[in-house]
Amino acid sequence: MARKHHAASLSPVPGDAQADILVQNVTMQFRRAKDEPSSVKEWVVRSLRREKKYEYFRALDRVSFRVGRGEVVGIIGTNGSGKSTLLKIIAGALIPTRGAVFTDRDRVQLLTLGTGFDPELTGRENVYLNGAIIGYSRAFIDRKYEEIVAFAELEDAMEEKVRNYSSGMVSRLGFAIATAQDTPEILILDEVLSVGDLFFRKKSEARIREMIHGGSTVLIVSHAPSVIRENCSRAIWIEKGRLRADGDPQEVCGAYEKMRG
């Protein structure tokens, strides 16, 4: 019998007019191949014999929290702890295995860098491609194009193919595209505060601070305690899929650093 998945509710938070996001007992489980075959031949033989084995990996385990309207909340944890998975569930890109998320999807903007870049297209073409993936109209990109290029500091490179860009150039262009629109009501940032060199990082942090202080409800994901301390009024620590702490950024980040040390 097939397992039933509980769809994430993307309606406003029921019975709580002061909350923008409510995460209730969210569990996310992925299936992955166990004992990967070492060759194509072995994979074919196993498939024909129906010997393929799978195991289930629990990325999130009964995570619950509430984000009030106008709060700036940081989510911290080591790599692979389920932070980005959680953000994708909140944004509606993934459906949890169990539990529910209540928010208004139409008010959510998820900023993550580098999604949808084609190395065989020019920088100019990628602005339109990446912008379309984010949800921008062509008219909006036409209007914002020069501003995006200037912010990324790539005026002389937009007709080159992205495969010739350095990783820093790609990050700068991705950040400029992702932050081109007006500040959304619910802003979700997935590791976007570590872009480019020191000078550009300061510039990108200033742009994000403008968005944060524009009145948005903000979720910031990072594995860097300094980012959470400097930008957030509250911190949530998720480790290996479980919620470990929720509270003052200094205290939560201190506990996280002690664990890592």
Side-chain angles (χ1 to χ4, degrees):
M1 183 180 293
R3 294 185 303 122
K4 291 184 178 180
H5 291 256
H6 295 246
S9 171
L10 294 170
S11 59
V13 177
D16 191 345
Q18 297 306 310
D20 268 338
I21 300 169
L22 180 63
V23 177
Q24 290 185 329
N25 296 311
V26 164
T27 293
M28 189 70 197
Q29 196 163 265
F30 295 102
R31 189 179 77 164
R32 61 187 180 189
K34 187 177 182 181
D35 185 23
E36 290 278 0
S38 58
S39 66
V40 174
K41 179 181 178 181
E42 185 179 351
W43 181 86
V44 171
V45 170
R46 286 191 189 183
S47 297
L48 292 173
R49 293 178 179 175
R50 297 185 178 179
E51 292 179 346
K52 295 178 71 176
K53 297 180 180 179
Y54 297 94
E55 60 183 0
Y56 290 94
F57 167 68
R58 185 164 290 189
L60 295 168
D61 188 5
R62 295 168 292 177
V63 172
S64 297
F65 60 87
R66 169 191 180 278
V67 179
R69 186 153 299 160
E71 272 196 288
V72 180
V73 178
I75 300 178
I76 197 166
T78 53
N79 290 333
S81 286
K83 305 185 300 298
S84 294
T85 296
L86 177 61
L87 293 196
K88 289 174 184 176
I89 291 173
I90 292 171
L94 291 176
I95 297 174
T97 307
R98 287 188 293 277
V101 171
F102 297 91
T103 189
D104 185 348
R105 187 177 186 182
D106 292 336
R107 296 165 57 216
V108 173
Q109 174 68 45
L110 171 62
L111 300 189
T112 183
L113 303 183
T115 303
F117 273 74
D118 187 331
E120 295 305 316
L121 298 180
T122 66
R124 177 185 292 274
E125 291 166 333
N126 269 290
V127 168
Y128 284 87
L129 172 63
N130 196 252
I133 290 171
I134 291 174
Y136 299 161
S137 68
R138 185 175 184 88
F140 176 86
I141 301 172
D142 286 341
R143 191 167 69 253
K144 291 283 188 174
Y145 179 79
E146 296 300 331
E147 182 181 317
I148 289 169
V149 174
F151 191 89
E153 302 169 8
L154 293 173
E155 291 89 343
D156 297 328
M158 295 309 293
E159 304 309 321
E160 290 185 33
K161 290 187 176 182
V162 166
R163 70 182 181 191
N164 297 323
Y165 283 17
S166 68
S167 59
M169 292 167 71
V170 172
S171 295
R172 280 164 24 211
L173 186 57
F175 183 89
I177 297 167
T179 59
Q181 71 168 8
D182 295 333
T183 303
E185 293 180 75
I186 303 172
L187 178 62
I188 299 178
L189 309 174
D190 189 2
E191 296 285 10
V192 302
L193 290 175
S194 56
V195 179
D197 58 24
L198 180 61
F199 175 77
F200 191 82
R201 193 174 302 127
K202 290 180 178 178
K203 187 169 148 180
S204 64
E205 287 174 355
R207 164 76 60 97
I208 290 298
R209 279 195 293 272
E210 288 176 8
M211 300 179 80
I212 288 172
H213 296 301
S216 297
T217 299
V218 184
L219 277 181
I220 300 175
V221 155
S222 181
H223 61 271
S226 60
V227 169
I228 304 300
R229 284 190 175 105
E230 291 169 11
N231 295 283
C232 302
S233 56
R234 177 175 151 218
I236 293 171
W237 175 16
I238 294 177
E239 193 63 34
K240 306 306 180 188
R242 294 193 173 190
L243 194 151
R244 290 278 297 270
D246 181 351
D248 178 76
Q250 296 296 333
E251 294 179 5
V252 173
C253 289
Y256 172 72
E257 288 171 325
K258 185 176 181 181
M259 181 276 297
R260 294 186 71 189

